[in-house]
Amino acid sequence: MDFQNDVKLSDVRLAAQEGFESVEHAKRYTTLGMATDQGKLSNINGLAILADSLNLEIPQVGTTTFRPPYQPISMGAVAGDARGALFKPIRKSPIHGWIEQNGGFFEQVADWRRPYCYLQKGESVKASVQREILNTRNHCGLLDASTLGKILVKGADAGRFLDMIYTNMMSSLKIGQCRYGLMCSDNGFLIDDGVVARLDEETFLCHTTSGGSDRIHAWLEEWLQTEWWDWQVYTVNLTEQYAQIAVVGPQARVILERLGGMDVSREALGFMQFKDGMLGGIPARAFRISFSGELSYEIAVPASLGQAFWDKCLAVGKDLSIAPYGTECLHVMRAEKGFIMIGDETDGTVIPQDLGLHWALSKKKDYLGKRAQQRSHMQDKSRWQLVGLLPLKPKSVIPDGAYAVDGTVRENGVKNMIGRVTSSYYSPTLNCAIAMGLVEYGPDRMGEVIDFPTTDGRVIQARICDPVFYDKEGVRQNV
Amino acid sequence: MSRSVLQGAKFRGLIKVSEDGLVGMISLRCDLKSVAVARGVRAALGLDLPDVRAIIYGRGGRAIAWMSPDEVLVLCDYTAVAGLVKKLDKALKGLHFMAVNVSDARAVFTLSGAGVRDVLAKGTPFDMSKFGVGEVARSRLGQVAVAFWLSDEGTARLVCFRSVGEHVFEWLRVAADKTAGVGFYQD
């Protein structure tokens, strides 16, 4: 009778028999007419059956409350809009069109599409990634980082609020300075990371991961609206207001100097500082931050000027071998530096302590997740912890997610696992395979060799090492 | 040099759809019930704070639209934004508020023609039969968040995030296809 809610004739008769004589009761007992059509297909028949069961005329039974759709429209008017190119909204950065026309090999990053690499004519994906890495490390690379989340936090209690949101202290950040911060859930697990910049006494700009901007904005609002409603803090999600372009590599400063308009020298704009001004005639905020370990600036410009700024960088850097690079190059370069990535080194079960990030956990203040991290299981010394892994055969890249085994067998007959790979790449910079992984007692086992059996029956052996593979002193970014 | 996401793209079907190019927008978060805030906003913009779900128009295309219990959206000339933010900062100094330029974070469309209600009703759960001039809807269109209002009976303005500007334009092209008339609000 009701095709949407699968209500049968016998159900309505049973309702009458059980004493649900009022039409409203019969409706709730059977779910008749409660689907999205609000009974437009079934109610009249249902009422007739109820009336028949009660030996009444239909008008005596009455009708349930009438709800929209009051008037019929064709199904085509409202159904099936999510198909073809409109199946799912794709978020596009201000540079998206250029990337599409210039060899961008896209990957999905949340609802965004970002270039994994830029394919040149006849080039393989692998060769393209290696070229981009070497070019950025030796000359200059350009990254579209517009998808990074940017949340503005302002108010008299903004510092106090961010001290609760981040594991490290943000209220002590000086105006004009940047600080890398970690966010944990109330269960202590890492949920996001990024650089915070203090714009003025009351205002902070919080960068989130590309996939995290909406989720983290909602997270901030939830705490402000439900728990700390009396704190003076407002937030606005400014992610799409700016195109953010990273100018990276030994020639990065020369590129910006050629654009002109702002002093970006080591003295005027030190590492982890930012400055507002003009670059190439475009209003810009230059952040001297580095996710690659190279001399690096991230330049935020109004989104409507993003393409213009991008074009200017390419034009002035032509003879310096400037070239755009994609997300895989970004990933490899950060792994070479031992920088963690939310979603690679973390999977919702990882706490900062597992990743050796104790330095970012304030002892002087409370923060979301702090209490949870004091639970016995979180303090357990045998938790899998972050280490670097160098395969003994330098060309053997360990498959992502591979498990390490110690040769023993658990009671249930499964090989005993003592860790897993979280990031694994071939490093063209170091000319060998590198990986990061979480390993039981990892940091206490430096120099030990452990086994990673692969699904195709091989065993890759790797030596446990420090996760920073390249330029541990940070000489390259600090020039 | 500045480019809006669709650079003024147009489409004519059941209704006329056009992207408005660069539109000045300021997100203002503040206590909408505060007399001091209202006084400051009036001094800076020459506009009163809107009631719940309302939009108020001023001179020269300037308008202020309710967004949430503690947020309004100021619409103005693209080039006027920096000046107005400064004025708001000055007029509201000492109060708890945030005024910030969000012009580049959005795309704005004008939909015109007698079928406007029908086209919007295909994508929004908002009850278009009770929606009048002067009201603002914060809703969705298809799968994405939008805000819209009727400037007059046959004209709607619709705001979405810049990154989905192309998606919204394509969505409107399908919904307003000449063969896709519904004839519910308009015969």
Side-chain angles (χ1 to χ4, degrees), chain B residues 19-35:
Chain B
E19 194 231 8
D20 289 356
L22 294 167
V23 176
M25 277 171 275
I26 300 165
S27 182
L28 173 62
R29 295 202 62 178
C30 57
D31 180 355
L32 297 178
K33 293 191 181 116
S34 154
V35 176

Side-chain angles (χ1 to χ4, degrees), chain A residues 115-120 123-143 247-251 291-295 320-337 397 424-434 469-470 476:
Chain A
Y116 181 89
C117 61
Y118 293 83
L119 291 171
Q120 292 185 353
E123 198 179 39
S124 71
V125 169
K126 198 174 152 190
S128 157
V129 170
Q130 297 202 0
R131 169 183 53 76
E132 289 174 11
I133 295 165
L134 293 173
N135 186 66
T136 305
R137 291 241 183 260
N138 293 322
H139 306 287
C140 186
L142 209 55
L143 175 79
V247 185
V248 181
Q251 301 289 355
F291 198 38
S292 57
E294 296 300 321
L295 171 64
L320 299 172
S321 180
I322 192 171
Y325 67 90
T327 51
E328 185 65 357
C329 170
L330 171 158
H331 276 108
V332 177
M333 290 197 298
R334 66 90 201 172
E336 290 171 342
K337 282 292 295 177
V397 178
S424 183
Y425 306 99
Y426 186 78
S427 160
T429 313
L430 305 162
N431 229 340
C432 65
I434 59 168
F469 297 96
Y470 185 61
R476 298 183 67 85

Side-chain angles (χ1 to χ4, degrees), chain A residues 316-452:
Chain A
V316 299
K318 207 167 179 186
D319 62 316
L320 299 172
S321 180
I322 192 171
Y325 67 90
T327 51
E328 185 65 357
C329 170
L330 171 158
H331 276 108
V332 177
M333 290 197 298
R334 66 90 201 172
E336 290 171 342
K337 282 292 295 177
F339 293 142
I340 63 128
M341 184 72 103
I342 296 292
D344 284 334
E345 276 61 48
T346 74
D347 61 359
T349 70
V350 172
I351 58 175
Q353 290 86 340
D354 297 339
L355 303 182
L357 295 167
H358 300 83
W359 59 268
L361 306 173
S362 177
K363 291 197 177 71
K364 293 182 193 153
K365 64 169 184 81
D366 198 6
Y367 59 81
L368 294 177
K370 187 172 194 170
R371 175 67 190 89
Q373 289 163 2
Q374 285 158 6
R375 289 180 292 186
S376 56
H377 177 63
M378 301 296 210
Q379 303 261 327
D380 189 344
K381 293 270 183 292
S382 70
R383 283 183 71 86
W384 293 5
Q385 290 166 70
L386 187 74
V387 291
L389 296 162
L390 276 174
L392 298 189
K393 288 182 184 158
K395 302 275 175 208
S396 297
V397 178
I398 315 172
D400 241 330
Y403 279 98
V405 296
D406 64 358
T408 65
V409 176
R410 291 181 186 171
E411 271 176 23
N412 60 3
V414 171
K415 287 177 189 167
N416 189 39
M417 287 162 282
I418 55 164
R420 67 171 188 278
V421 166
T422 54
S423 291
S424 183
Y425 306 99
Y426 186 78
S427 160
T429 313
L430 305 162
N431 229 340
C432 65
I434 59 168
M436 288 194 273
L438 296 164
V439 176
E440 199 176 80
Y441 299 109
D444 297 333
R445 305 168 68 160
M446 286 296 152
E448 271 184 43
V449 173
I450 52 174
D451 291 346
F452 291 90

Side-chain angles (χ1 to χ4, degrees), chain A residues 68 70-74 76-78 81-83 85-94 96 112 152-156 202-203 217 221 225 231-242 280-282 301-305 307-308 311-312, chain B residues 1-5 22 25 27-32 70-71 78 89 94-106 121-123 127 129-130 141-144 160-172 174 180-182 184:
Chain A
Y70 299 107
Q71 289 158 269
I73 52 170
S74 67
V78 289
D81 63 340
R83 65 195 152 77
L86 295 172
F87 177 65
K88 185 151 191 332
I90 293 173
R91 295 177 78 183
K92 295 180 177 178
S93 98
H96 187 99
W112 300 96
L152 197 65
V153 177
K154 185 192 166 190
E202 288 205 335
T203 316
H217 186 223
E221 282 294 330
Q225 290 178 28
W231 292 14
Q232 298 214 324
V233 183
Y234 282 130
T235 71
V236 163
N237 189 345
L238 282 184
T239 301
E240 299 196 15
Q241 172 67 15
Y242 300 103
I282 290 174
V301 300
S304 64
L305 287 164
Q307 186 61 53
D311 293 342
K312 277 174 192 265
Chain B
M1 220 165 26
S2 291
R3 281 207 291 208
S4 68
V5 64
L22 294 167
M25 277 171 275
S27 182
L28 173 62
R29 295 202 62 178
C30 57
D31 180 355
L32 297 178
D70 61 0
E71 183 183 353
Y78 186 72
D89 282 343
L95 301 170
H96 176 41
F97 77 100
M98 171 148 73
V100 56
N101 180 1
V102 293
S103 315
D104 282 32
R106 315 272 170 89
K122 289 183 182 187
D127 185 356
S129 62
K130 290 179 185 150
L141 190 73
Q143 300 178 62
V144 304
C160 67
F161 281 110
R162 181 190 175 101
S163 66
V164 291
E166 281 184 39
H167 176 89
V168 166
F169 188 70
E170 286 308 311
W171 191 96
L172 286 167
V174 172
V182 181
F184 190 75

Side-chain angles (χ1 to χ4, degrees), chain A residues 125-345:
Chain A
V125 169
K126 198 174 152 190
S128 157
V129 170
Q130 297 202 0
R131 169 183 53 76
E132 289 174 11
I133 295 165
L134 293 173
N135 186 66
T136 305
R137 291 241 183 260
N138 293 322
H139 306 287
C140 186
L142 209 55
L143 175 79
D144 177 16
S146 306
T147 58
L148 269 183
K150 308 161 198 82
I151 300 169
L152 197 65
V153 177
K154 185 192 166 190
D157 293 312
R160 175 191 186 196
F161 173 61
L162 293 183
D163 280 347
M164 286 304 292
I165 293 293
Y166 287 95
T167 63
N168 38 352
M169 191 83 89
M170 287 300 167
S171 55
S172 60
L173 190 59
K174 295 209 165 46
I175 295 165
Q177 298 277 342
C178 302
R179 186 170 289 162
Y180 173 73
L182 303 174
M183 281 187 209
C184 293
S185 68
D186 37 356
N187 260 327
F189 300 116
L190 272 165
I191 56 169
D192 211 72
D193 69 346
V195 168
V196 177
R198 186 165 204 165
L199 306 188
D200 60 42
E201 198 48 50
E202 288 205 335
T203 316
F204 296 80
L205 181 62
C206 303
H207 291 100
T208 75
T209 56
S210 289
S213 61
D214 290 345
R215 175 172 56 83
I216 296 302
H217 186 223
W219 171 249
L220 303 186
E221 282 294 330
E222 184 184 342
W223 284 97
L224 285 173
Q225 290 178 28
T226 63
E227 204 66 32
W228 304 316
W229 50 270
D230 53 340
W231 292 14
Q232 298 214 324
V233 183
Y234 282 130
T235 71
V236 163
N237 189 345
L238 282 184
T239 301
E240 299 196 15
Q241 172 67 15
Y242 300 103
Q244 193 134 322
I245 290 158
V247 185
V248 181
Q251 301 289 355
R253 186 174 286 137
V254 182
I255 304 281
L256 298 185
E257 281 169 353
R258 285 185 182 180
L259 288 173
M262 194 191 292
D263 186 354
V264 293
S265 64
R266 180 187 179 148
E267 296 70 34
L269 184 56
F271 187 56
M272 295 307 271
Q273 292 183 343
F274 74 90
K275 228 164 87 170
D276 291 332
M278 301 291 282
L279 278 169
I282 290 174
R285 178 172 287 149
F287 301 90
R288 173 95 188 272
I289 53 182
S290 180
F291 198 38
S292 57
E294 296 300 321
L295 171 64
S296 159
Y297 300 84
E298 283 192 21
I299 315 295
V301 300
S304 64
L305 287 164
Q307 186 61 53
F309 185 81
W310 180 268
D311 293 342
K312 277 174 192 265
C313 289
L314 289 176
V316 299
K318 207 167 179 186
D319 62 316
L320 299 172
S321 180
I322 192 171
Y325 67 90
T327 51
E328 185 65 357
C329 170
L330 171 158
H331 276 108
V332 177
M333 290 197 298
R334 66 90 201 172
E336 290 171 342
K337 282 292 295 177
F339 293 142
I340 63 128
M341 184 72 103
I342 296 292
D344 284 334
E345 276 61 48

Side-chain angles (χ1 to χ4, degrees), chain B residues 61-99:
Chain B
R62 199 177 287 178
I64 186 163
W66 184 93
M67 287 284 121
S68 81
D70 61 0
E71 183 183 353
V72 291
L73 182 68
V74 179
L75 293 125
C76 61
D77 222 38
Y78 186 72
T79 52
V81 170
L84 289 181
V85 168
K86 247 184 216 156
K87 277 189 178 174
L88 282 166
D89 282 343
K90 206 176 144 202
L92 297 174
K93 203 175 160 93
L95 301 170
H96 176 41
F97 77 100
M98 171 148 73

